[in-house]
């Protein structure tokens, strides 16, 4: 009897011990579960930066990453210093501005950058890319023009100025733009040059076609059939352009610069303040938006015909010169003309990250956002934020429309 009870007690003890061990194992698994990667993002105290920070941050959060937002800073120099020191993991810059800043401040940009060409024994010549990839895991040889994207991801800019074919065992030299130069190079080449200068502790995501640069726009009744500044140049002597005093004499973005690059002048220049450029040439909506014309009866018919046409609307100017393509007074009733002769330096959105934060998962989300952004999208989001809408609201709407989890 005693032995039987003792056996039952012993068995219970073994069960309890086993349960305890299982519980310990369960706790150990819980403690070892990795936390989601945290990305600390930094931005400027501007409507555009607030929008961009929120768009990239919400996309990362929607993909399961943790995002910490640092306080807004005053300028690019402070942003970049925070990133370089590791106080932040991600900043959203612009290709033209960042390239000029790096060329002035980074030691690697103080001298000409030389890229050695990889050699092979199977071909007589190879294509070398101006600007090497900054992706830590990228070991692809630069043997074809397809590799020009490097760490910048895909781009709609297929300009051939980013690569050149040279004989084996030679090298190519790239001169980095210096601050203040109007170097209207492609977004893709700008990104490659940024990659040459960035220290190994930093990486770049894909640059975006969304830009912040000076532009000329015309109202729709004056720009029928126009899409390029070259098109505008053919008829500019019949049109009036509104702009600030600085545009009248400015260089490169000014009347002298337009004449030098496109070989054309405008009929008249209407000087206005920066806040009134859009109003100077945006047609107001009249009370009666149609006019009626009655034609005389024809020989084939005794009845007269009546046609209805939209009347021409008087404006002070036909076009406007904006210092920023994101100016909220650029509306859907205006046509922003493409700078097909590379008059003004490109300045596309580009994310810069620390190498430790630049993991494959983060890179995928960052590049997805960059490729979805366009200048009209960004301009509309900035306009809404300027009108009091929260950045989180407009960025969430954009991500949903773009099919990106946010």
């Amino acid at each position: 009897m005693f032995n039987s009870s003792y056996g039952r007690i012993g068995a219970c003890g073994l069960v309890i011990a086993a349960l305890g061990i299982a519980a310990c194992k369960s706790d150990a698994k819980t403690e070892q579960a990795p936390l989601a990667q945290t990305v600390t993002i930094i931005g400027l105290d501007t409507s555009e930066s607030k929008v961009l920070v929120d768009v990239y941050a919400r996309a990362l959060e929607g993909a399961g990453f943790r995002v910490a937002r640092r306080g807004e800073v005053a300028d690019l120099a402070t942003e970049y210093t925070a990133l370089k020191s590791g106080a932040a993991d991600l900043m959203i810059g612009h290709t033209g501005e960042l390239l000029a800043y790096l060329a002035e401040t980074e030691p690697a940009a103080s001298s000409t950058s030389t890229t050695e060409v990889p050699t092979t024994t199977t071909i007589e010549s190879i294509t070398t890319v101006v600007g090497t990839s900054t992706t830590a895991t990228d070991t692809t040889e630069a043997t074809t023009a397809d590799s020009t994207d490097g760490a910048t991801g895909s781009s709609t800019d297929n300009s051939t100025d980013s690569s050149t074919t040279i004989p084996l065992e030679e090298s190519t030299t790239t001169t980095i733009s210096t601050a203040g130069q109007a170097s209207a190079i492609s977004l893709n080449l700008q990104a490659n040059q940024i990659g040459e200068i960035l220290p190994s502790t930093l990486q770049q995501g894909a640059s975006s076609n969304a830009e912040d640069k000076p532009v000329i726009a015309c109202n729709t009744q004056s720009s029928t059939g126009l899409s390029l500044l070259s098109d505008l140049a053919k008829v500019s002597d019949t049109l009036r352009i509104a702009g600030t005093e600085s545009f009248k004499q400015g260089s490169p973005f000014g009347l002298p610069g337009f004449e030098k690059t496109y070989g054309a002048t405008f009929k008249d220049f209407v000087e206005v303040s920066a806040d009134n450029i859009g109003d100077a040439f945006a047609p107001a909506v009249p009370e009666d938006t149609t006019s009626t014309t009655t034609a005389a009866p024809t020989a084939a018919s005794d009845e007269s015909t009546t046609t209805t046409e939209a009347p021409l609307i008087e404006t002070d100017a036909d076009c406007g010169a904006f210092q920023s393509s994101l100016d909220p007074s650029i509306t859907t009733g205006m046509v922003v003309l493409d700078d097909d002769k590379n008059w003004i330096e490109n300045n596309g959105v580009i994310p810069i990250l620390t190498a430790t934060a630049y993991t494959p998962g983060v890179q995928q989300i960052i590049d997805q956002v960059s490729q979805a952004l366009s200048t009209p999208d960004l301009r509309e989001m900035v306009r809404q934020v300027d009108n009091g809408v929260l950045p989180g609201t407009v960025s969430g709407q954009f991500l949903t429309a773009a099919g990106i989890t946010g």
Side-chain angles (χ1 to χ4, degrees):
M1 188 74 176
F2 174 81
N3 290 338
S4 176
S5 298
Y6 181 85
R8 287 195 297 269
I9 293 172
C12 290
L14 290 173
V15 171
I16 293 171
L19 289 172
I21 292 171
C24 291
K25 289 182 178 180
S26 177
D27 290 343
K29 289 181 180 179
T30 302
E31 292 172 359
Q32 293 173 359
L35 293 174
Q37 180 182 345
T38 299
V39 179
T40 302
I41 186 169
I42 191 169
L44 304 177
D45 188 16
T46 65
S47 296
E48 180 194 356
S49 184
K50 290 174 182 177
V51 167
L52 289 171
V53 164
D54 213 81
V55 165
Y56 283 92
R58 284 179 178 269
L60 287 168
E61 289 169 338
F65 296 97
R66 302 171 68 187
V67 176
R69 294 170 172 83
R70 284 184 58 89
E72 294 154 353
V73 296
D75 51 36
L76 170 60
T78 309
E79 269 188 310
Y80 184 75
T81 300
L83 199 70
K84 197 172 178 181
S85 69
D89 298 310
L90 169 64
M91 61 168 277
I92 315 300
H94 295 83
T95 54
E97 294 171 3
L98 183 60
L99 181 56
Y101 174 78
L102 293 175
E104 189 177 57
T105 60
E106 284 292 352
S110 61
S111 60
T112 302
S113 175
T114 302
T115 302
E116 294 298 327
V117 179
T119 59
T120 68
T121 57
T122 57
I123 55 175
E124 295 181 355
S125 65
I126 64 171
T127 299
T128 182
V129 179
V130 180
T132 56
S133 169
T134 59
T135 306
T137 57
D138 186 1
T139 57
T140 305
E141 286 187 352
T143 56
T144 67
D146 291 339
S147 63
T148 57
D149 284 341
T152 63
S154 62
S155 170
T156 57
D157 189 342
N158 295 318
S159 173
T160 58
D161 60 359
S162 61
S163 64
T164 180
T165 301
I166 64 173
L168 284 173
E169 297 183 0
E170 293 186 10
S171 62
T172 182
T173 299
T174 303
T175 302
I176 303 300
S177 302
T178 58
Q181 272 188 318
S183 179
I185 55 179
S186 71
L187 290 172
N188 202 38
L189 183 54
Q190 284 179 324
N192 284 333
Q193 290 188 343
I194 288 171
E196 288 184 329
I197 303 174
L198 283 177
S200 60
T201 55
L202 299 179
Q203 305 287 342
Q204 58 181 309
S207 57
S208 172
N209 287 326
E211 291 193 82
D212 183 1
K213 60 179 283 188
V215 294
I216 290 178
C218 298
N219 58 36
T220 51
Q221 72 179 24
S222 303
S223 59
T224 304
L226 305 182
S227 61
L228 309 174
L229 286 181
S230 289
D231 299 332
L232 176 64
K234 297 173 183 177
V235 296
S236 60
D237 59 350
T238 67
L239 302 175
R240 303 154 299 165
I241 187 167
T244 61
E245 180 183 3
S246 64
F247 182 75
K248 187 175 183 178
Q249 302 296 334
S251 178
F253 188 64
L255 293 177
F258 181 78
E259 182 176 2
K260 179 180 179 181
T261 303
Y262 286 95
T265 59
F266 287 89
K267 176 183 178 181
D268 194 17
F269 173 70
V270 180
E271 186 176 321
V272 295
S273 67
D275 293 337
N276 293 324
I277 295 174
D279 293 336
F281 74 98
V285 179
E287 293 182 6
D288 181 5
T289 58
T290 60
S291 62
T292 302
T293 302
T294 302
T298 62
S301 173
D302 293 333
E303 298 181 359
S304 61
T305 58
T306 302
T307 59
T308 301
E309 299 176 348
L312 291 177
I313 302 170
E314 291 297 325
T315 59
D316 294 329
D318 306 293
C319 304
F322 296 88
Q323 286 294 328
S324 172
S325 52
L326 303 180
D327 192 310
S329 59
I330 299 175
T331 67
T332 54
M334 303 175 187
V335 176
V336 178
L337 300 170
D338 185 52
D339 181 13
D340 54 308
K341 289 190 176 181
N342 292 326
W343 171 30
I344 304 301
E345 183 179 19
N346 289 308
N347 200 36
V349 169
I350 185 168
I352 306 295
L353 304 92
T354 59
T356 54
Y358 194 66
T359 60
V362 169
Q363 177 192 3
Q364 181 180 6
I365 299 300
I366 292 293
D367 290 355
Q368 191 177 6
V369 173
S370 294
Q371 290 157 6
L373 272 175
S374 70
T375 302
D377 288 333
L378 186 52
R379 181 169 57 238
E380 178 56 30
M381 287 189 281
V382 170
R383 186 199 333 273
Q384 291 187 42
V385 170
D386 283 344
N387 289 332
V389 181
L390 294 175
T393 300
V394 297
S395 61
Q397 292 170 347
F398 165 76
L399 291 171
T400 299
I404 301 172
T405 302

